[in-house]
Amino acid sequence: MKSIPEHLRATIGQRVDLIDTPALVLDLDAMERNIQRMADFARKHQVRWRPHAKMHKSAEIALLLEKAGAHGHCVQKVAEAEALAAAGVDDLYISNEVLAAGKLLRAARLAAQLAARGGRLAIAVDSEEGVARLAEAMRVAGSDAGIDVFVEIDVGQGRCGVPPGPEAVTLALAVAAQPRLHFAGLQAYHGRAQHLRTATERRDAIARVVQAAADTRALIEAAGLPVPLITGSGTGTLVHEAASGIYGELQAGSFLYMDADYAANEREPAQPAFEHALFVKTQVISARATHAVCDAGHKSHAVDSGLPTVHGLPPERALRYASCSDEHGVLTAEGSKARLPALGRMLWLVPGHCDPTVNLHDYLIGVRGGLAHGVVDRIIRVDARGALT
């Protein structure tokens, strides 16, 4: 495990205004409030929550979530699972298809390692070829503990997954026929629905998802195979899956940080009031009559879900992050009383998409006491940064 560089260690106890830029900063107080709200929500609705660690990629944060009641963690890559397991996380679900023989053998060996210390690894499949290859990897690894397997159904994402219905039944039976594979249930996640802007659009989309998952479960059970769990959901739609009576587990992850894209959604009245907790601190390094330039370009934050927003300004004084290049962001005045920031001014950006933004950084700088007057509390490793295989 990489040690934290001395120059970062030296920031602990310093005021937030002394943090060098650009830097990825985590408001620990806001994050902990988000965790408590999620834990309370899951408890109220009597569903498990298995947040996506692909978002924060940190074992320290994963263990913090478990302490609050999270039932393990989702990842998308074998390498993410390996990195978190090496740092002490024991219950992991690769909620994605893995087909390459080398990766499957790594997954099989990791499953055995986790089982030996009382943990668990699960994985998703969406083809009989994938089932056969996974079974062979488990045989080669000599793992008697086995591995939990979820059949993924495509409930609207248009990505991975077999169609709901008979194909899913065939695949579930294929899993159950393998001695080292344990059919664990259905993976039913609609990623596109998370970012539908209106509450009505999201409600209608998830109603169709719930029906597809329920019908598929009924067909599998009619074939004589119990369906222990339906898992899925995300931050944008969790109120609907939780209320469905069909989903037993929520995979929401972005609630922890709340990026600018999620903030653009119309909020459901029943959804917890999650706060922004992840920020890119940046400094104005050039100023002109028409614009200012900060030192956080798209090497500091991901722009696939839109440009970041400038945090903490009232609407009438709002600034717009108008464009960016590798190392620079161009800021313009947007509010009716807005003034361009002066040279040297420190600003806080809310990234458009938290997951790939975190993957650009080795460390998070955790602060307490707020962004205006807080101090650096600790440095958090991004353990699974670059874990792409």
Side-chain angles (χ1 to χ4, degrees):
M1 182 180 293
K2 291 197 322 184
S3 60
I4 296 171
E6 183 54 37
H7 76 277
L8 283 178
R9 287 184 185 277
T11 65
I12 296 174
Q14 290 188 358
R15 303 190 315 269
V16 294
D17 57 302
L18 297 177
I19 297 171
D20 202 2
T21 61
L24 193 61
V25 176
L26 181 57
D27 184 332
L28 296 170
D29 302 315
M31 179 187 74
E32 288 169 5
R33 289 191 293 269
N34 287 343
I35 292 172
Q36 188 59 56
R37 288 164 185 153
M38 184 64 192
D40 291 344
F41 178 85
R43 191 178 305 110
K44 176 182 177 182
H45 291 276
Q46 298 183 319
V47 291
R48 304 191 320 197
W49 52 299
R50 178 179 290 274
H52 253 297
K54 74 180 180 67
M55 191 273 298
H56 57 74
K57 289 179 168 275
S58 164
E60 180 176 336
I61 291 175
L63 294 171
L64 182 67
L65 287 159
E66 285 187 5
K67 187 176 179 181
H71 193 90
H73 304 275
C74 291
V75 295
Q76 288 288 83
K77 301 288 187 174
V78 176
E80 286 178 338
E82 291 168 331
L84 296 182
V89 181
D90 291 335
D91 191 333
L92 293 160
Y93 167 36
I94 303 171
S95 54
N96 193 13
E97 282 62 38
V98 179
L99 203 63
K103 292 187 182 77
L104 286 169
L105 186 56
R106 285 162 50 200
R109 289 170 175 162
L110 182 60
Q113 293 167 15
L114 289 174
R117 67 193 205 203
R120 166 184 179 265
L121 183 70
I123 195 166
V125 297
D126 74 350
S127 68
E128 292 191 60
E129 178 70 16
V131 172
R133 291 187 179 203
L134 176 59
E136 175 62 12
M138 295 296 290
R139 184 194 68 77
V140 171
S143 175
D144 294 326
I147 188 170
D148 284 353
V149 180
F150 287 87
V151 169
E152 180 165 12
I153 56 174
D154 181 0
V155 288
Q157 175 72 11
R159 194 169 58 190
C160 296
V162 295
E167 287 188 47
V169 178
T170 300
L171 196 54
L173 293 172
V175 171
Q178 296 287 348
R180 290 184 173 89
L181 309 187
H182 313 310
F183 176 64
L186 295 174
Q187 161 81 11
Y189 173 66
H190 190 343
R192 291 181 181 176
Q194 309 310 312
H195 307 285
L196 296 173
R197 292 303 180 213
T198 72
T200 299
E201 287 177 306
R202 295 194 301 276
R203 189 181 309 120
D204 291 347
I206 298 305
R208 294 189 290 271
V209 169
V210 168
Q211 190 62 56
D215 291 347
T216 303
R217 181 179 69 178
L219 287 172
I220 294 172
E221 290 180 341
L225 185 61
V227 180
L229 182 69
I230 296 178
T231 181
S233 182
T235 296
T237 65
L238 59 86
V239 295
H240 306 301
E241 286 94 345
S244 69
I246 295 297
Y247 280 76
E249 185 175 81
L250 309 177
Q251 296 176 3
S254 295
F255 76 89
L256 190 69
Y257 293 162
M258 284 305 285
D259 54 35
D261 185 71
Y262 268 113
N265 281 356
E266 177 189 2
R267 180 171 165 258
E268 289 276 358
Q271 180 169 322
F274 299 123
E275 307 171 47
H276 291 307
L278 186 74
F279 304 90
V280 174
K281 188 189 178 194
T282 186
Q283 184 178 39
V284 175
I285 58 172
S286 181
R288 298 292 178 267
T290 56
H291 64 275
V293 180
C294 68
D295 62 357
H298 53 64
K299 286 184 180 177
S300 301
H301 52 83
V303 299
D304 59 299
S305 293
L307 295 173
T309 57
V310 182
H311 181 71
L313 300 174
E316 68 275 9
R317 299 189 184 279
L319 298 173
R320 185 167 73 94
Y321 190 102
S323 64
C324 67
S325 53
D326 285 0
E327 314 293 352
H328 304 93
V330 176
L331 305 162
T332 59
E334 184 170 70
S336 59
K337 298 181 180 179
R339 292 185 178 181
L340 290 171
L343 273 175
R345 170 85 179 274
M346 298 293 185
L347 296 170
W348 298 95
L349 306 178
V350 178
H353 190 180
C354 51
D355 303 38
T357 293
V358 170
N359 196 52
L360 294 169
H361 296 262
D362 288 319
Y363 304 96
L364 293 157
I365 299 176
V367 304
R368 290 205 180 275
L371 302 183
H373 307 292
V375 297
V376 177
D377 181 80
R378 63 183 186 269
I379 308 300
I380 300 171
R381 293 183 184 86
V382 183
D383 302 281
R385 183 196 177 185
L388 304 178
T389 63

